[in-house]
Amino acid sequence: MAKRPPSVQGGPSFFDEAEESVAPRSGRRLIVEADGGSRGNPGPAAYGAVVRDAQTSKVLAAEGLPIGRATNNVAEYRGLIAGLEMARELDPTAALEVRMDSRLVIEQMAGRWKIKHADMKSLALEAARLRPATVTWTWVPRELNKVADTLVNRALDGDPVARQYLVDRPG
């Protein structure tokens, strides 16, 4: 059996409760691409997130908003949370792959790195509450996270993108 690259973590993390998790019912797979940034650390900050269909790569939802003054890491977590919220709105039972260029967020959410900072703990717990039963955490180089990065910079430059769904949501 091939070994998973060290930047990919599938399955449960340390955020999982002891109860058995619910398997995806829809059979659908979604990809969340998220990013966050600040100009200064802390400084004016924003996040960007997109949700794609895993089969077609079509963007299904997008958002890029400023969050005021924050650190880069807080902005990264806010991008993750926005992406998880949009994915949940589209299909709460879909299997999910989260792709981010923040090694810190990916490793913390996968349960391999401790979360020491209080602000990060509360954001990580919020993200864990939103994530589906089946999730894979993937670190990607910055060059492969350009859409989310563009949303961050648009928000920081005064051209935010309010949450939009490019397909009809269920219900």
Side-chain angles (χ1 to χ4, degrees):
M1 180 180 255
K3 250 182 132 176
R4 235 181 232 182
S7 60
V8 177
Q9 168 72 32
S13 73
F14 72 92
F15 293 107
D16 292 330
E17 296 180 10
E19 308 175 6
E20 191 174 310
S21 59
V22 177
R25 286 176 259 157
S26 68
R28 190 173 191 186
R29 293 181 312 118
L30 299 174
I31 297 168
V32 168
E33 297 171 1
D35 198 12
S38 63
R39 294 186 177 157
N41 203 19
Y47 67 83
V50 295
V51 179
R52 295 181 184 274
D53 180 275
Q55 281 189 300
T56 66
S57 294
K58 179 180 176 181
V59 174
L60 306 175
E63 181 175 63
L65 296 175
I67 58 172
R69 186 173 172 81
T71 66
N72 184 64
N73 292 333
V74 166
E76 294 277 6
Y77 265 106
R78 293 286 301 273
L80 170 62
I81 290 165
L84 292 172
E85 287 172 345
M86 291 185 293
R88 179 177 267 206
E89 281 282 318
L90 290 165
D91 187 341
T93 66
L96 193 64
E97 179 182 4
V98 174
R99 298 176 182 171
M100 296 181 71
D101 61 22
S102 170
R103 178 144 337 248
L104 177 80
V105 173
I106 291 296
E107 297 295 332
Q108 286 180 339
M109 291 304 299
R112 291 188 295 265
W113 290 5
K114 289 182 180 179
I115 304 170
K116 297 176 185 174
H117 195 279
D119 290 345
M120 298 301 105
K121 284 181 184 179
S122 63
L123 291 167
L125 288 171
E126 183 176 353
R129 181 183 59 79
L130 291 167
R131 62 131 179 79
T134 303
V135 64
T136 302
W137 304 100
T138 305
W139 174 84
V140 295
R142 188 176 198 172
E143 308 81 60
L144 298 179
N145 205 25
K146 286 184 180 180
V147 175
D149 182 66
T150 298
L151 289 168
V152 171
N153 284 300
R154 280 185 62 176
L156 287 170
D157 292 339
D159 186 24
V161 175
R163 186 167 295 183
Q164 52 187 271
Y165 294 89
L166 307 171
V167 296
D168 289 334
R169 291 178 282 167

